[in-house]
Amino acid sequence: MCLLREAMTRVNTLHSGPDSTYDGTESTHEGPEVTYDVLGIGFGPSNLALAIAVEEHNAKAAEGERIRAAFLEKQPSFGWHRGMLIDDATMQVSFLKDLVTMRDPTSSYSFLCYLRERDRLVDFLNQKTLFPLRIEFHDYLEWAAARVAGLVEYSAEVLSVNPVTENGEIVFFDVVSRDPANPEATIVRRARSLCVATGMEPRMPSGTVRSERVFHNSELIPRVADVLAKGTPVRRAVVLGAGQSAAESVDYLHRHFPEAEICSVFAKYGYTPADDSPFANRIFDPEAVDIFYNAPPEVKQSLVDYHRSTNYSVVDMDLIESLSRTMYQEKVQGRQRMRMLNVSRIRDIDAHDDGLDIGIEFLPTAERDVLSADLLVCATGYHPRGIDERLGELGKLCRRDDEDALVVGRDHRVATHANVTADIYLQGGTEHTHGLTSTLLSNTAVRAGEIYASLLERRRDQEALSR
Ligand SMILES: Cc1cc2nc3c(=O)[nH]c(=O)nc-3n(C[C@H](O)[C@H](O)[C@H](O)COP(=O)(O)OP(=O)(O)OC[C@H]3O[C@@H](n4cnc5c(N)ncnc54)[C@H](O)[C@@H]3O)c2cc1C
């Protein structure tokens, strides 16, 4: 049995349905018997790295020094962007920026230790690359997640967080999550601090209605499998967007529908390459986070703008060259299946029983054309889930700056109002304070180490106060 189940303290019947959020009521100090030092919300790579830091600490800590931690994940098992686990896609970050190495190169949770266990260390070395396959990195993450399985509850979507007040101060949070054994019921766990790492939300173009034929690229693999299984004819598929996911989607559809025409539509003139040159790459160094954090707002903004091309709306050069080669070969052969509708925008989509009529405007002339298609894949990016969207009114406890952005400490702890002594850590959604790495893997290990250190420091402070 999962250890977390033993700590389960209260089960409620869920009346308010899946969209239930914090209703503003406060629990009293009475409640679950177990109080966690930290409850992690979401269990992607960010909180997995934190779970490992905690597990490694607990393995060598004396009884009273251990960190009581648990992590709640809505998916039924560990999964990292499963919809985009394209067979030949590679990571865009070095394997040395795994869950631990940048924090502790001697950790047994490293990618190298994983390779050794899978008996592929020498084979990987012979590939002469720093960039593993995405499916391989996913297997690594699953391997690491399995080793800390005792700290995680899956199928446990967090629905709301309720502050617990003692003498006018919010000292704990009661975290309400779905009961994996009964989706109609909830479980409440109490924690002194939260670590919110709920990732990004797929962004659809405004006004677009999702359907069997219109979907976000985050669902690419299962949707294509479904279309193929049903035998739905695909004569033409359209991909909207010009970033890495868009280019990967074009390539994937081209390979999986060998009779279909695949059209990319975007406002740029052509795909632009990701800047992964050595000096630009330094923006992802741990030291760059310190410099960014301490810079005035206008410098922060200019750093993000200057280095946007390391991450946003850019494509790996190898993929650009491969797509260009394919287009040229098809031109030579006189059968062009891969087409690029550049400097263009989708203006309207008319969905009918047999497919889609997509209105496309060529921006330089404002000329409009209607393209009949069977599928539209929107590779239109992601946006961070705001803390309000994630956890009801938890955001009301947090302080905001003049731009209405969350105030976040260097230790990733959100600044809260004076009467809140319980802590909220945030992983992701902190680009405005910690820079470009906030939604990436580059600093996952180091950030987890910083949060772990802060958790210990905060506990020491509290113990000193209560003496
Ligand atoms: C296809 C793709 C490839 C990428 N490749 C790279 C790369 O090579 N290098 C790189 O640096 N970055 C890459 N990224 C960026 C990506 O954001 C990070 O890799 C990483 O996923 C961030 O980890 P995370 O744990 O913060 O968020 P996520 O991985 O998004 O994990 C968040 C988790 O929280 C869970 N969750 C959400 N809400 C709740 C809730 N209410 N209750 C419980 N659980 C919840 C979700 O189910 C999810 O498992 C890639 C992104 C995509 C989409």
Side-chain angles (χ1 to χ4, degrees), residues 391-406:
L391 299 167
E393 296 184 31
L394 187 63
K396 286 192 178 157
L397 308 178
C398 305
R399 283 183 27 222
R400 290 174 187 273
D401 63 18
D402 296 342
E403 307 289 316
D404 203 32
L406 289 176

Side-chain angles (χ1 to χ4, degrees), residues 331-366:
K331 203 166 193 174
V332 171
Q333 289 157 0
R335 185 177 172 240
Q336 237 178 322
R337 284 208 303 121
M338 194 181 280
R339 287 177 59 205
M340 194 182 267
L341 306 180
N342 59 351
V343 211
S344 300
R345 279 197 195 286
I346 292 182
R347 289 300 182 201
D348 46 67
I349 303 161
D350 179 19
H352 47 87
D353 288 349
D354 302 331
L356 308 164
D357 285 335
I358 304 177
I360 296 175
E361 180 183 332
F362 183 56
L363 297 170
T365 59

Side-chain angles (χ1 to χ4, degrees), residues 263-306:
C263 299
S264 49
V265 178
F266 49 77
K268 280 185 173 182
Y269 204 83
Y271 294 125
T272 42
D275 182 356
D276 62 349
S277 57
F279 294 121
N281 235 13
R282 290 165 67 178
I283 196 73
F284 300 128
D285 290 355
E287 187 190 60
V289 179
D290 285 325
I291 291 172
F292 187 94
Y293 186 82
N294 292 310
E298 62 281 6
V299 177
K300 282 192 170 89
Q301 190 55 54
S302 73
L303 282 174
V304 170
D305 293 343
Y306 281 135

Side-chain angles (χ1 to χ4, degrees), residues 13 19 37 159 173 182 329 401 422 430:
T13 302
D19 293 324
D37 293 312
L159 301 171
F173 296 115
N182 173 10
Q329 279 168 6
D401 63 18
T430 52

Side-chain angles (χ1 to χ4, degrees), residues 395-400 414-421:
K396 286 192 178 157
L397 308 178
C398 305
R399 283 183 27 222
R400 290 174 187 273
V414 181
T416 46
H417 295 303
N419 68 330
V420 185
T421 55

